Amino acid sequence: MDAEAVRTNLVLILDFGSQYTHLITRRIRSLNVFSLCINGTSSLETITALSPRVIILSGGPHSVHAPHAPCFAPGFLNYVQENAVFVLGICYGLQLIVQQLGGEVRIGEKQEYGRMEIEVRKMSGLFGEKCVGERQVVWMSHGDEAVRLPEGFEVVASSLQGGVAAIQNKEMKFYGLQYHPEVTHSLEGMYTLRYFLFDVCGVSAGWTMDDVLEEELKVIDEKVGPEEHVICALSGGVDSTVAATLVHKAIGDRLHCVFVDNGLLRYKERERVMETFEKDLHLPVTCIDATEQFLSKLKGVEDPEQKRKIIGREFICVFDAFGHDLEQKVGTKPTYLVQGTLYPDIIESCPPPGSGRTHSHTIKSHHNVGGLPKDMKLKLIEPLKLLFKDEVRELGKILNVPVGFLKRHPFPGPGLAVRIQGDVTKGNALETLRQADEIFIQAIRDAGIYDSIWQAFAVHLDVKSVGVQGDQRTHAHPIILRAVTSQDGMTADWYPFEPKFLNDVANKIINGVRGVNRVLLDITSKPPATIEWE
């Protein structure tokens, strides 16, 4: 599908703050339909400039009755009617449609949270050919409920408690779901989204990573002048490597990659990564040892947000210094910095997915988003900022990045600083964690389950516990093992290891790593936890 066809089939999500909003984006892209998420209160000019075929109003934590509750822009209703844009409201989005079109929303007498059954009332529209009376399990999360629908609307499904579960007005092209079809707990949610987009709205599938590659090469070519040089921050991870390979394809030898050893890398990471860059990827890379610079600034710092910001600032200092040296060498001052920032990085760093958002919480400041200094001299190129991790891997295949490299588990830019609780320079925490992590990851590889796990790593806790080793009392740090399965990093479940595997790994760590007398397993999903510890 060409770029123009992709744009004319755009599904635009207006984000009103739900923790599930970006799953909507991901689910729609999995259907080969391009979707974008922007602030729910974005101006009408922003929306019209994108010319969407379908607009989805997300859920959110607010009540439509609350003071300053977020709402779509003035003129929105007229715009979608005049341009025959299909609108689907999900949870808060449904309530917003009902309220703004003259219906009534009240605080529910029976609030609905978690898995619930709904029953189909109409055979058309959102539920296709499903028969009246058919039931399905969905995920509810709301306190308010629609009690009177606007003129022309009808109920097409209801909860077993009698609440409105789905509505539609075919003539106006307005539809609403009181539940979240985007989460896996809604067992037929993907069927409903697929039917709505293809059968109700007439959207055409065809968006692929080839479209992304073509578009990004065009953007880079237009942004970077023919004589300009660009620096790329290579971490050794999948994201920055794919970003570097893409930009290298666009501008060739005017790209200068920098791999920074910040003293927070995994066991032998520097040697392994540099060998891969040189032998397999053939990228021009300069390795800079900035261990002392980073660790001296992190000494005594315990707050995880402060650690991230310090690391982000020091990275930029390194790149500025490299840029100055490069200017002396090639006679041109580099003006751009390439980073492998992903969509989830922006989402979690706030204000995601753009500026001005006020109705969601910052989860963490990614070192290459929220951690960047305001006075940085280099302008950013972030060719992957609208992609999820699995999409980046797909793009990497097209760019001929070795599959073995693309399958590497994610490693955070701030490195082990976010896997060591408290001061990273305290005691022997870094070396202890490196050794424990290496044992864990190697055991996973040996067991043949590395590719079945999204991300696995060890964590060093800033507490001590009493143990008995060699018939002597010890007072040492526990190590936590973390391994999760996921598709895009936005949600995750813990990986169910076999007991024997865990027993063997724990024994190897206890017997092979000084200063450790306990090994624990993290069995928390995301949410409520994040994948990383901090």
Side-chain angles (χ1 to χ4, degrees):
M1 181 179 283
D2 60 35
E4 185 58 33
V6 169
R7 282 190 283 270
T8 57
N9 282 274
L10 171 67
V11 177
L12 184 65
I13 294 99
L14 297 189
D15 181 10
F16 292 105
S18 168
Q19 62 179 312
Y20 306 124
T21 296
H22 298 281
L23 284 177
I24 307 173
T25 310
R26 187 64 198 93
R27 300 294 183 249
I28 293 171
R29 290 189 189 183
S30 71
L31 298 172
N32 294 115
V33 175
F34 186 51
S35 60
L36 278 178
C37 181
I38 66 173
N39 188 347
T41 58
S42 294
S43 68
L44 190 60
E45 290 75 15
T46 299
I47 296 171
T48 58
L50 293 168
S51 190
R53 177 73 170 274
V54 179
I55 294 177
I56 296 179
L57 311 178
S58 86
H62 294 268
S63 165
V64 293
H65 303 297
H68 311 297
C71 185
F72 41 67
F76 173 83
L77 295 175
N78 288 335
Y79 165 74
V80 295
Q81 286 291 284
E82 292 170 2
N83 292 274
V85 179
F86 289 85
V87 178
L88 172 65
I90 293 177
C91 198
Y92 178 84
L94 175 148
Q95 296 164 10
L96 202 55
I97 289 172
V98 171
Q99 183 204 54
Q100 292 296 309
L101 288 174
E104 185 179 358
V105 177
R106 292 180 186 167
I107 298 174
E109 292 183 8
K110 295 181 179 179
Q111 297 180 336
E112 296 178 318
Y113 296 103
R115 288 183 177 87
M116 303 196 72
E117 275 194 309
I118 64 168
E119 187 173 292
V120 175
R121 299 296 186 191
K122 293 273 184 180
M123 277 186 63
S124 58
L126 283 167
F127 298 102
E129 301 305 315
K130 288 191 176 295
C131 297
V132 172
E134 279 195 47
R135 295 181 180 182
Q136 58 182 277
V137 175
V138 301
W139 184 261
M140 292 281 194
S141 182
H142 67 100
D144 290 352
E145 63 178 349
V147 294
R148 180 172 56 81
L149 299 186
E151 184 178 347
F153 279 76
E154 59 183 349
V155 176
V156 291
S158 60
S159 70
L160 296 190
Q161 292 188 144
V164 172
I167 63 173
Q168 66 184 28
N169 182 322
K170 287 186 174 181
E171 185 178 346
M172 291 182 67
K173 297 183 171 59
F174 271 83
Y175 299 81
L177 296 171
Q178 185 56 73
Y179 63 91
H180 290 274
E182 69 273 23
V183 303
T184 55
H185 306 309
S186 294
L187 302 183
E188 298 184 55
M190 279 301 292
Y191 168 85
T192 302
L193 286 175
R194 184 184 296 109
Y195 189 87
F196 172 71
L197 292 175
F198 297 146
D199 296 88
V200 176
C201 304
V203 169
S204 297
W207 178 73
T208 67
M209 282 300 109
D210 289 300
D211 296 315
V212 173
L213 176 58
E214 180 184 341
E215 188 71 17
E216 286 302 327
L217 289 173
K218 181 181 176 183
V219 168
I220 293 165
D221 184 60
E222 292 174 350
K223 180 179 286 189
V224 181
E227 303 297 325
E228 290 185 301
H229 287 251
V230 175
I231 296 173
C232 179
L234 271 181
S235 68
V238 174
D239 310 329
S240 63
T241 301
V242 172
T245 306
L246 194 158
V247 177
H248 190 251
K249 182 178 178 68
I251 67 172
D253 291 341
R254 289 183 290 124
L255 174 70
H256 306 271
C257 298
V258 182
F259 177 74
V260 180
D261 184 349
N262 58 6
L264 302 166
L265 302 178
R266 289 174 290 194
Y267 182 79
K268 291 189 176 179
E269 180 83 353
R270 175 174 168 177
E271 297 88 340
R272 292 169 177 173
V273 166
M274 288 302 295
E275 183 179 3
T276 300
F277 287 152
E278 292 168 4
K279 288 187 175 181
D280 299 327
L281 300 173
H282 310 296
L283 288 171
V285 184
T286 299
C287 182
I288 297 176
D289 188 345
T291 299
E292 186 176 344
Q293 176 180 338
F294 278 80
L295 296 186
S296 63
K297 294 292 174 59
L298 289 168
K299 187 175 178 59
V301 178
E302 297 186 353
D303 178 69
E305 273 293 292
Q306 190 178 354
K307 285 194 282 189
R308 282 183 173 271
K309 291 184 182 299
I310 289 171
I311 292 166
R313 185 173 64 245
E314 292 310 308
F315 268 123
I316 297 303
C317 289
V318 171
F319 299 139
D320 282 341
F322 177 80
H324 177 75
D325 293 341
L326 183 63
E327 182 180 4
Q328 307 303 311
K329 181 179 178 181
V330 301
T332 302
K333 185 177 183 179
T335 50
Y336 290 97
L337 172 68
V338 178
Q339 292 194 142
T341 308
L342 301 191
Y343 208 14
D345 298 339
I346 297 173
I347 292 165
E348 292 184 336
S349 291
C350 201
S355 61
R357 178 168 171 180
T358 58
H359 44 273
S360 71
H361 292 141
T362 299
I363 306 301
K364 55 192 174 187
S365 292
H366 286 261
H367 77 290
N368 56 344
V369 184
L372 294 178
K374 295 179 180 179
D375 60 347
M376 66 177 286
K377 301 179 181 67
L378 296 165
K379 292 179 284 187
L380 289 178
I381 295 177
E382 298 173 303
L384 312 179
K385 67 180 180 181
L386 295 180
L387 301 182
F388 293 91
K389 176 72 76 173
D390 55 328
E391 294 172 328
V392 172
R393 289 189 168 118
E394 188 179 343
L395 183 61
K397 290 180 184 178
I398 298 173
L399 289 165
N400 295 316
V401 176
V403 174
F405 193 88
L406 292 174
K407 289 183 177 180
R408 295 190 81 203
H409 291 179
F411 184 62
L416 299 182
V418 297
R419 295 177 180 174
I420 293 177
Q421 298 276 291
D423 184 354
V424 301
T425 68
K426 187 176 179 181
N428 203 34
L430 279 165
E431 190 56 34
T432 298
L433 181 57
R434 284 192 183 103
Q435 292 179 31
D437 185 77
E438 177 69 7
I439 291 171
F440 183 36
I441 299 303
Q442 190 57 51
I444 288 173
R445 291 187 184 279
D446 292 343
I449 56 176
Y450 185 86
D451 291 346
S452 301
I453 297 172
W454 164 268
Q455 189 173 2
F457 55 90
V459 177
H460 185 281
L461 285 189
D462 189 27
V463 296
K464 287 187 176 182
S465 64
V466 174
V468 179
Q469 292 169 285
D471 294 327
Q472 294 183 346
R473 178 188 185 274
T474 61
H475 196 219
H477 294 277
I479 287 290
I480 293 179
L481 305 182
R482 175 78 158 148
V484 299
T485 58
S486 180
Q487 282 191 319
D488 45 44
M490 296 303 298
T491 60
D493 289 318
W494 57 280
Y495 184 83
F497 289 109
E498 293 292 334
K500 184 180 185 308
F501 173 88
L502 292 173
N503 181 68
D504 291 345
V505 169
N507 284 336
K508 287 178 181 177
I509 292 175
I510 293 292
N511 294 317
V513 183
R514 281 184 169 275
V516 177
N517 63 5
R518 287 181 193 268
V519 176
L520 313 174
L521 178 67
D522 182 346
I523 58 169
T524 318
S525 63
K526 174 187 179 180
T530 57
I531 292 177
E532 294 288 353
W533 256 72
E534 305 202 46

